[in-house]
Amino acid sequence: CCYAVIFAASLLCALLLRFDFELTEYASSVFRDSVLIVVLLKIAVVLFSQDWRRRMRYSTIYDLAWSSGICLVCGILISALQIAHETMPQIPRSVIAMDTLISAGAIVSARIMAQAVRMLRKKRRNINASRTLIYANGSESAAMTTSIQTSSSTLRVVGIVSPRNLIPNSVIAGVPVYDGSQGLEAIIEKTRAEVLLMPSRLSGRDVREVSEVCLRCGVNAHLVPSIDEI
Protein backbone atom coordinates (compact mmCIF):
# COMPACT_ATOMS: atom_id res chain seq x y z
CA CYS A 1 0.00 0.00 0.00
CA CYS A 2 1.47 3.33 -1.06
CA TYR A 3 -0.05 5.04 1.98
CA ALA A 4 1.85 2.73 4.35
CA VAL A 5 5.15 3.41 2.54
CA ILE A 6 4.57 7.18 2.60
CA PHE A 7 3.64 7.23 6.29
CA ALA A 8 6.58 5.05 7.35
CA ALA A 9 9.03 7.09 5.26
CA SER A 10 7.62 10.34 6.66
CA LEU A 11 8.17 9.19 10.23
CA LEU A 12 11.73 8.14 9.43
CA CYS A 13 12.47 11.47 7.73
CA ALA A 14 11.03 13.36 10.71
CA LEU A 15 13.30 11.45 13.10
CA LEU A 16 16.33 12.08 10.89
CA LEU A 17 15.55 15.81 10.79
CA ARG A 18 15.08 15.89 14.56
CA PHE A 19 18.47 14.28 15.20
CA ASP A 20 20.44 16.10 12.49
CA PHE A 21 20.35 13.22 10.00
CA GLU A 22 21.96 10.81 12.47
CA LEU A 23 20.09 7.59 13.13
CA THR A 24 21.01 7.33 16.80
CA GLU A 25 20.11 4.40 19.01
CA TYR A 26 17.30 6.41 20.58
CA ALA A 27 15.90 7.41 17.19
CA SER A 28 16.06 3.81 16.01
CA SER A 29 14.21 2.58 19.07
CA VAL A 30 11.49 5.24 18.66
CA PHE A 31 11.04 4.28 15.03
CA ARG A 32 10.87 0.54 15.76
CA ASP A 33 8.42 0.98 18.63
CA SER A 34 6.09 3.49 16.94
CA VAL A 35 6.15 2.92 13.17
CA LEU A 36 3.58 0.09 13.15
CA ILE A 37 1.11 1.90 15.42
CA VAL A 38 1.50 5.23 13.58
CA VAL A 39 1.07 3.66 10.14
CA LEU A 40 -1.97 1.60 11.20
CA LEU A 41 -3.56 4.65 12.85
CA LYS A 42 -3.08 6.80 9.76
CA ILE A 43 -4.35 4.09 7.41
CA ALA A 44 -7.45 3.70 9.61
CA VAL A 45 -8.10 7.45 9.25
CA VAL A 46 -7.56 7.21 5.47
CA LEU A 47 -10.03 4.33 5.18
CA PHE A 48 -12.59 6.05 7.41
CA SER A 49 -12.36 9.29 5.41
CA GLN A 50 -12.40 7.36 2.10
CA ASP A 51 -9.46 9.38 0.85
CA TRP A 52 -8.29 6.31 -1.08
CA ARG A 53 -11.30 6.71 -3.38
CA ARG A 54 -9.73 9.95 -4.68
CA ARG A 55 -6.57 8.29 -5.98
CA MET A 56 -7.78 8.20 -9.60
CA ARG A 57 -9.56 11.52 -9.63
CA TYR A 58 -8.38 14.75 -11.15
CA SER A 59 -6.30 16.49 -8.47
CA THR A 60 -8.26 19.61 -7.64
CA ILE A 61 -7.36 22.04 -4.88
CA TYR A 62 -10.17 20.52 -2.81
CA ASP A 63 -8.65 17.03 -3.16
CA LEU A 64 -5.22 18.26 -2.10
CA ALA A 65 -6.64 20.20 0.85
CA TRP A 66 -8.66 17.16 1.92
CA SER A 67 -5.56 14.91 1.94
CA SER A 68 -3.56 17.52 3.86
CA GLY A 69 -6.38 17.85 6.39
CA ILE A 70 -6.35 14.09 6.96
CA CYS A 71 -2.63 14.24 7.80
CA LEU A 72 -3.35 17.07 10.24
CA VAL A 73 -6.07 15.00 11.93
CA CYS A 74 -3.65 12.09 12.22
CA GLY A 75 -1.07 14.33 13.86
CA ILE A 76 -3.63 15.57 16.38
CA LEU A 77 -4.72 12.00 17.19
CA ILE A 78 -1.12 10.87 17.71
CA SER A 79 -0.48 13.82 20.03
CA ALA A 80 -3.64 13.04 22.00
CA LEU A 81 -2.74 9.36 22.34
CA GLN A 82 0.64 10.28 23.83
CA ILE A 83 -1.21 10.65 27.13
CA ALA A 84 -1.83 6.89 27.20
CA HIS A 85 1.69 5.59 27.76
CA GLU A 86 0.60 1.94 27.67
CA THR A 87 -1.00 2.09 24.21
CA MET A 88 1.16 4.62 22.38
CA PRO A 89 4.97 4.81 22.39
CA GLN A 90 6.31 8.21 23.35
CA ILE A 91 7.36 10.26 20.34
CA PRO A 92 8.93 13.74 20.65
CA ARG A 93 6.37 16.42 19.89
CA SER A 94 8.69 18.04 17.34
CA VAL A 95 8.86 14.71 15.48
CA ILE A 96 5.05 14.50 15.43
CA ALA A 97 4.82 18.01 13.98
CA MET A 98 7.46 17.33 11.32
CA ASP A 99 5.90 13.96 10.51
CA THR A 100 2.52 15.65 9.95
CA LEU A 101 4.00 18.23 7.58
CA ILE A 102 6.11 15.69 5.70
CA SER A 103 3.16 13.29 5.35
CA ALA A 104 0.92 16.03 3.98
CA GLY A 105 3.57 17.21 1.53
CA ALA A 106 4.36 13.67 0.40
CA ILE A 107 0.74 12.73 -0.24
CA VAL A 108 0.02 15.97 -2.09
CA SER A 109 3.17 15.58 -4.18
CA ALA A 110 2.37 11.93 -4.94
CA ARG A 111 -1.14 12.85 -6.06
CA ILE A 112 0.13 15.64 -8.33
CA MET A 113 2.87 13.42 -9.79
CA ALA A 114 0.43 10.57 -10.40
CA GLN A 115 -1.92 12.93 -12.20
CA ALA A 116 0.95 14.34 -14.29
CA VAL A 117 2.07 10.83 -15.29
CA ARG A 118 -1.48 9.84 -16.24
CA MET A 119 -1.89 12.97 -18.34
CA LEU A 120 1.49 12.38 -20.03
CA ARG A 121 0.61 8.78 -20.84
CA LYS A 122 -2.79 9.82 -22.13
CA LYS A 123 -1.26 12.45 -24.39
CA ARG A 124 1.18 9.93 -25.81
CA ARG A 125 -1.55 7.34 -26.24
CA ASN A 126 -3.95 9.82 -27.87
CA ILE A 127 -1.42 11.55 -30.08
CA ASN A 128 -3.42 10.50 -33.16
CA ALA A 129 -6.82 11.10 -31.56
CA SER A 130 -9.18 13.65 -33.08
CA ARG A 131 -8.80 17.16 -31.69
CA THR A 132 -12.13 17.95 -30.04
CA LEU A 133 -13.94 21.09 -28.94
CA ILE A 134 -16.67 21.03 -26.29
CA TYR A 135 -19.42 23.60 -26.89
CA ALA A 136 -21.23 23.84 -23.53
CA ASN A 137 -21.64 25.85 -20.34
CA GLY A 138 -20.79 25.12 -16.71
CA SER A 139 -21.16 21.62 -15.33
CA GLU A 140 -22.07 20.10 -18.70
CA SER A 141 -18.72 21.10 -20.21
CA ALA A 142 -16.84 19.72 -17.17
CA ALA A 143 -18.74 16.41 -17.27
CA MET A 144 -18.17 15.91 -21.00
CA THR A 145 -14.49 16.82 -20.75
CA THR A 146 -13.68 14.50 -17.85
CA SER A 147 -15.68 11.69 -19.45
CA ILE A 148 -13.64 11.91 -22.66
CA GLN A 149 -10.34 12.20 -20.78
CA THR A 150 -10.99 9.09 -18.71
CA SER A 151 -12.68 6.80 -21.22
CA SER A 152 -12.01 7.79 -24.83
CA SER A 153 -9.00 6.78 -26.91
CA THR A 154 -10.23 8.36 -30.15
CA LEU A 155 -10.99 11.91 -28.93
CA ARG A 156 -8.70 14.48 -27.31
CA VAL A 157 -10.25 17.64 -25.86
CA VAL A 158 -8.26 20.73 -26.87
CA GLY A 159 -10.69 23.42 -25.78
CA ILE A 160 -14.05 24.30 -24.25
CA VAL A 161 -16.22 26.98 -25.83
CA SER A 162 -18.48 28.73 -23.34
CA PRO A 163 -21.38 30.33 -25.28
CA ARG A 164 -22.36 32.56 -22.38
CA ASN A 165 -18.82 33.09 -21.11
CA LEU A 166 -19.85 32.02 -17.60
CA ILE A 167 -16.30 31.11 -16.63
CA PRO A 168 -13.94 33.44 -18.51
CA ASN A 169 -10.17 32.89 -18.56
CA SER A 170 -10.47 29.59 -16.71
CA VAL A 171 -9.29 26.00 -17.08
CA ILE A 172 -11.36 22.84 -16.59
CA ALA A 173 -9.51 19.54 -16.11
CA GLY A 174 -6.44 21.10 -17.72
CA VAL A 175 -8.38 22.31 -20.77
CA PRO A 176 -8.63 26.06 -21.56
CA VAL A 177 -12.06 27.68 -21.76
CA TYR A 178 -12.71 30.08 -24.66
CA ASP A 179 -15.27 32.87 -24.76
CA GLY A 180 -17.91 32.06 -27.38
CA SER A 181 -18.24 35.75 -28.27
CA GLN A 182 -14.78 35.60 -29.89
CA GLY A 183 -16.33 33.71 -32.77
CA LEU A 184 -16.48 29.95 -33.16
CA GLU A 185 -14.59 30.00 -36.49
CA ALA A 186 -11.64 31.79 -34.89
CA ILE A 187 -11.57 29.32 -32.00
CA ILE A 188 -11.69 26.34 -34.38
CA GLU A 189 -8.81 27.78 -36.38
CA LYS A 190 -6.82 28.50 -33.23
CA THR A 191 -7.27 25.03 -31.73
CA ARG A 192 -7.16 23.17 -35.07
CA ALA A 193 -10.23 21.23 -33.93
CA GLU A 194 -11.54 18.31 -36.00
CA VAL A 195 -14.62 17.40 -33.93
CA LEU A 196 -17.11 19.52 -32.00
CA LEU A 197 -19.42 18.07 -29.35
CA MET A 198 -22.42 19.91 -27.92
CA PRO A 199 -25.08 18.82 -25.41
CA SER A 200 -28.61 18.19 -26.63
CA ARG A 201 -29.93 20.76 -24.15
CA LEU A 202 -28.83 23.59 -26.44
CA SER A 203 -31.61 25.42 -28.23
CA GLY A 204 -32.42 24.47 -31.82
CA ARG A 205 -31.20 27.84 -33.01
CA ASP A 206 -27.80 27.41 -31.32
CA VAL A 207 -27.46 23.91 -32.74
CA ARG A 208 -28.16 25.14 -36.28
CA GLU A 209 -25.75 28.06 -36.02
CA VAL A 210 -22.95 25.91 -34.61
CA SER A 211 -23.57 23.19 -37.22
CA GLU A 212 -23.37 25.74 -40.05
CA VAL A 213 -20.04 27.06 -38.76
CA CYS A 214 -18.68 23.54 -38.41
CA LEU A 215 -19.81 22.69 -41.94
CA ARG A 216 -17.95 25.70 -43.34
CA CYS A 217 -14.81 24.84 -41.37
CA GLY A 218 -14.88 21.12 -42.19
CA VAL A 219 -15.44 20.10 -38.56
CA ASN A 220 -17.63 17.14 -37.59
CA ALA A 221 -20.36 18.33 -35.21
CA HIS A 222 -22.21 15.91 -32.94
CA LEU A 223 -25.02 16.23 -30.40
CA VAL A 224 -24.41 14.38 -27.13
CA PRO A 225 -27.66 13.19 -25.51
CA SER A 226 -28.23 13.39 -21.77
CA ILE A 227 -28.78 10.29 -19.63
CA ASP A 228 -32.53 10.90 -19.59
CA GLU A 229 -32.62 10.92 -23.39
CA ILE A 230 -30.79 7.63 -23.88
Side-chain angles (χ1 to χ4, degrees):
C1 179
C2 62
Y3 282 103
V5 174
I6 290 176
F7 293 147
S10 298
L11 179 60
L12 179 61
C13 289
L15 285 168
L16 290 174
L17 288 173
R18 170 64 177 78
F19 295 101
D20 297 329
F21 295 98
E22 292 185 10
L23 195 59
T24 62
E25 183 178 350
Y26 173 71
S28 300
S29 64
V30 171
F31 181 77
R32 288 194 304 268
D33 295 340
S34 61
V35 62
L36 182 60
I37 296 177
V38 169
V39 170
L40 291 177
L41 175 63
K42 291 185 176 182
I43 288 180
V45 174
V46 168
L47 293 176
F48 178 77
S49 64
Q50 296 186 343
D51 182 73
W52 55 276
R53 292 181 179 273
R54 301 169 179 267
R55 67 189 187 281
M56 296 301 292
R57 286 184 52 187
Y58 177 72
S59 298
T60 64
I61 298 298
Y62 178 81
D63 292 324
L64 302 183
W66 178 272
S67 297
S68 300
I70 287 174
C71 293
L72 178 60
V73 170
C74 292
I76 294 174
L77 287 176
I78 294 172
S79 299
L81 290 174
Q82 291 291 293
I83 301 174
H85 297 269
E86 294 80 7
T87 59
M88 186 71 186
Q90 293 301 294
I91 306 173
R93 286 189 290 272
S94 59
V95 173
I96 296 175
M98 287 187 288
D99 173 59
T100 300
L101 294 175
I102 294 172
S103 297
I107 289 181
V108 168
S109 299
R111 190 181 296 281
I112 293 175
M113 290 177 63
Q115 176 65 21
V117 170
R118 286 195 296 270
M119 293 297 294
L120 182 60
R121 287 179 177 177
K122 189 173 291 295
K123 286 183 178 180
R124 289 179 177 177
R125 185 171 62 247
N126 293 353
I127 190 170
N128 296 322
S130 300
R131 300 174 64 86
T132 305
L133 276 179
I134 303 296
Y135 190 89
N137 287 308
S139 59
E140 288 182 326
S141 61
M144 294 171 66
T145 300
T146 54
S147 177
I148 291 174
Q149 288 179 335
T150 56
S151 61
S152 176
S153 59
T154 59
L155 300 177
R156 179 160 59 96
V157 181
V158 295
I160 298 172
V161 182
S162 177
R164 301 176 185 173
N165 195 27
L166 298 178
I167 41 179
N169 302 320
S170 60
V171 175
I172 295 178
V175 178
V177 179
Y178 298 97
D179 180 7
S181 62
Q182 298 177 3
L184 183 56
E185 289 190 36
I187 297 174
I188 290 175
E189 182 179 355
K190 180 177 181 180
T191 58
R192 293 180 288 116
E194 302 168 294
V195 176
L196 185 140
L197 301 180
M198 46 188 164
S200 58
R201 294 184 181 181
L202 287 177
S203 65
R205 178 180 178 181
D206 289 339
V207 172
R208 286 192 300 272
E209 291 177 352
V210 172
S211 299
E212 290 174 358
V213 173
C214 291
L215 183 62
R216 291 197 301 268
C217 297
V219 174
N220 296 320
H222 302 279
L223 271 178
V224 179
S226 64
I227 296 297
D228 296 333
E229 296 172 330
I230 296 177

